[in-house]
Amino acid sequence: MAQTQLQHAREGTITPAMERIADRENRTPEFVREQVASGQAVIPSNHNHESLDPMIIGREFSTKVNANIGNSEETSDLKGELEKLHTAVHYGADTVMDLSTGTNLDEIREANVAHSPVPVGTVPIYEAVKQAESPEDITRDLLVDVIEKQAEQGVDYMTIHAGVLMEHLPLTDGRKTGIVSRGGSILAQWMEENSMQNPLYVAFEELCEIFAEHDVTFSLGDGLRPGCVADAGDEAQYAELETLGELTRTAWDHGVQVMVEGPGHVPMDQVAENVEKQQEVCDGAPFYVLGPLVTDVAPGYDHITSAIGATEAGRAGAAMLCYVTPKEHLGLPEKEDVREGLAAYRIAAHAADVANDLPGARDWDDALSEARYQFDWRRQFDLALDPERAQSYHDQTLPGDNYKEARFCSMCGVEFCSMRIDQDARDADGEMTAIEDETDLSESLAAETNLPPVGTHDTSRVPEKIEIDGVTFTPESSHADD
Ligand code: SF4
């Protein structure tokens, strides 16, 4: 049987995927292997996903961003789904989750895997619900069959909500927003109706065997995550986390790679604590957070409320951020929403990497800053996180080719461009000359366009008096002369 990346790593083997990742991440292949062997990082790479360019998820590597794609009952054509995949990858998604709940699920999933250079994740319970037609009719065998089929189709990682247990459910009583995870709410309904334990928990070792065979990575779902800041960090959330820690170790015992999902909605001051707790309870398995939103008051802007929390989560050690679009809580995202969500999350991920001083992370910032100071507009656009957006905003006011080398833009204008003024004030070695009493200011480089030079006050230009509506003011006093 082909081995998982975890099994290879434990045996001391550096796989081609590890070599490729080392190259992408400015790390040595041996460091990649060690991180995978200890479970601190995962390489989601199903043996059947041939178009994959391997990547890694772990806190010692660049923070990754996931984008959710997929159809619904209302929108279900293959071409449209592949377009969503293309959009997500184009705007920088490191992984995609196919959350389709409409029709042609197999066809769409297989096409996504066949065309995706990034790992594809799924939440198999959605398909199980479709097949059973109602949540309470799902059976353990149906769940296992759906999961096995998706593993054979080449899915790289699956969200499995095996940590929601019967005994956790009463802990959600009194919450402001109950159970907000789709998988969590489906399983809670199933357990209530059938008075039986979560079938994914019961079948977990069987799932480990399937995952080991195909090298599918667990993404242990947080079915009891808080759905508002008031519910964050409650007993239900942390009780489930303890079970996720137990399941992490079970999966490792079977040689299966694991990451763990996290909230959701968390006030800013609790974000780091959430990450630290997960790292402790789950022995450092990579943490994959959904946001978190740090406030609930901004529907329409939840890509921003959540990117703030995601930045802090990344800084504190989260390894992957699941993007949120401006449509969160309001509707199904469209192409422009995907773009906005990915931009917000790539900023969050990169800001966290810079703060964590990841090897090479700040090189990008430095290169862009240098291009900016050199007024190399074309290079500045090329280096921008969203080059098309950067150029189109610049060109709205200064579209001509001549402005691509201009020493200003329309933000401050030619006269007040601080970088141009700064450069003019420096000598050929880039040093600032001290202005002394005897300095002839009319000789300064800035004098031609900027009179008086910045930081000086040319009193010869101050009028002796000003008259407004018949009242006379003098420079010595802001009061009108009596
Ligand atoms: S005009 Fe202002 S914003 Fe534009 S390049 Fe100069 S300093 Fe920067």
Side-chain angles (χ1 to χ4, degrees):
M1 186 169 91
Q3 291 195 305
T4 65
Q5 294 288 335
L6 174 57
Q7 290 164 334
H8 282 303
R10 282 176 178 165
E11 282 175 0
T13 308
I14 292 173
T15 63
M18 294 174 202
E19 299 266 10
R20 167 69 181 134
I21 286 161
D23 218 37
R24 294 180 81 176
E25 298 269 351
N26 282 320
R27 297 289 195 174
T28 64
E30 177 55 19
F31 181 77
V32 175
R33 187 200 65 74
E34 278 169 14
Q35 287 288 308
V36 175
S38 62
Q40 311 298 289
V42 294
I43 302 175
S45 52
N46 188 309
H47 301 312
N48 294 331
H49 187 172
E50 285 168 15
S51 57
L52 182 72
D53 186 6
M55 52 79 78
I56 195 162
I57 302 167
R59 69 179 175 283
E60 294 296 329
F61 301 93
S62 61
T63 310
K64 303 303 185 300
V65 174
N66 170 69
N68 294 332
I69 56 172
N71 71 4
S72 64
E73 283 294 352
E74 290 73 33
T75 58
S76 278
D77 75 293
L78 182 60
K79 194 168 156 278
E81 291 313 305
L82 287 176
E83 220 171 275
K84 283 184 201 165
L85 169 68
H86 176 77
T87 303
V89 174
H90 177 75
Y91 288 116
D94 296 296
T95 75
V96 291
M97 289 198 82
D98 177 359
L99 303 185
S100 293
T101 53
T103 53
N104 301 331
L105 297 182
D106 286 321
E107 190 190 7
I108 288 168
R109 190 178 309 117
E110 282 168 0
N112 276 334
V113 170
H115 292 92
S116 179
V118 302
V120 176
T122 58
V123 187
I125 198 165
Y126 298 168
E127 187 182 355
V129 173
K130 289 280 294 179
Q131 289 193 20
E133 290 180 3
S134 82
E136 59 274 20
D137 294 334
I138 297 173
T139 62
R140 170 186 159 145
D141 286 350
L142 173 63
L143 277 169
V144 173
D145 287 350
V146 167
I147 289 168
E148 187 160 27
K149 179 188 68 177
Q150 294 196 5
E152 284 164 2
Q153 287 171 330
V155 171
D156 302 288
Y157 68 98
M158 295 187 206
T159 296
I160 302 292
H161 298 92
V164 188
L165 302 186
M166 289 177 85
E167 46 272 43
H168 299 156
L169 301 182
L171 301 175
T172 62
D173 295 346
R175 274 183 163 189
K176 271 199 194 304
T177 55
I179 299 173
V180 297
S181 148
R182 277 191 271 181
S185 62
I186 291 165
L187 286 161
Q189 186 180 351
W190 189 93
M191 288 186 268
E192 287 290 296
E193 296 283 338
N194 294 287
S195 298
M196 286 164 71
Q197 189 53 283
N198 179 346
L200 291 171
Y201 180 77
V202 175
F204 194 73
E205 300 222 26
E206 201 177 334
L207 300 185
C208 287
E209 296 303 320
I210 296 169
F211 279 32
E213 186 183 343
H214 301 277
D215 200 0
V216 178
T217 298
F218 274 111
S219 186
L220 294 177
D222 55 336
L224 299 183
R225 67 171 171 268
C228 62
V229 292
D231 294 342
D234 69 357
E235 247 190 297
Q237 183 195 330
Y238 285 137
E240 183 188 25
L241 182 61
E242 292 293 333
T243 311
L244 297 182
E246 174 204 317
L247 296 171
T248 297
R249 290 179 280 277
T250 305
W252 282 342
D253 289 346
H254 287 78
V256 177
Q257 306 188 84
V258 192
M259 56 184 168
V260 177
E261 294 183 16
H265 292 241
V266 181
M268 190 72 169
D269 59 308
Q270 294 176 31
V271 173
E273 177 191 320
N274 261 264
V275 178
E276 284 153 19
K277 199 159 173 79
Q278 180 276 342
Q279 289 287 281
E280 186 193 320
V281 173
C282 301
D283 296 338
F287 200 24
Y288 167 25
V289 289
L290 318 173
L293 284 75
V294 292
T295 173
D296 300 326
V297 300
Y301 296 93
D302 278 337
H303 59 313
I304 297 174
T305 59
S306 62
I308 293 169
T311 309
E312 172 65 350
R315 191 204 56 76
M320 183 153 82
L321 315 172
C322 182
Y323 91 155
V324 170
T325 76
K327 286 276 179 66
E328 185 75 10
H329 301 114
L330 302 172
L332 195 68
E334 287 166 17
K335 195 172 162 184
E336 201 50 29
D337 307 310
V338 171
R339 177 183 186 168
E340 295 288 332
L342 272 167
Y345 272 70
R346 289 186 63 216
I347 294 166
H350 182 66
D353 292 347
V354 170
N356 289 338
D357 202 17
L358 243 74
R362 223 196 61 195
D363 292 354
W364 183 10
D365 301 70
D366 293 349
L368 193 140
S369 299
E370 281 159 21
R372 180 172 285 157
Y373 191 66
Q374 287 159 7
F375 295 104
D376 186 343
W377 291 99
R378 286 195 177 84
R379 184 156 166 73
Q380 194 182 154
F381 303 149
D382 284 349
L383 286 167
L385 181 124
D386 183 343
E388 296 146 38
R389 170 70 57 91
Q391 174 151 9
S392 89
Y393 278 14
H394 174 270
D395 289 2
Q396 271 172 15
T397 45
L398 299 174
D401 262 5
N402 50 329
Y403 291 117
K404 300 297 181 300
E405 274 138 40
R407 298 178 70 215
F408 67 98
C409 73
S410 65
M411 182 174 165
C412 326
V414 62
E415 200 176 350
F416 289 95
C417 175
S418 54
M419 290 201 305
R420 198 255 323 139
I421 295 168
D422 173 87
Q423 288 171 16
D424 286 351
R426 292 175 189 278
D427 62 22
D429 298 324
E431 283 171 11
M432 200 67 91
T433 320
I435 294 175
E436 291 157 4
D437 281 353
E438 58 274 15
T439 305
D440 181 358
L441 294 175
S442 64
E443 293 294 308
S444 99
L445 286 169
E448 267 180 40
T449 45
N450 226 34
L451 242 179
V454 177
T456 68
H457 190 58
D458 181 357
T459 49
S460 68
R461 290 158 66 94
V462 178
E464 280 176 15
K465 59 182 180 180
I466 305 166
E467 246 184 64
I468 300 172
D469 291 340
V471 183
T472 306
F473 296 82
T474 62
E476 285 79 36
S477 162
S478 57
H479 301 291
D481 289 350
D482 295 325

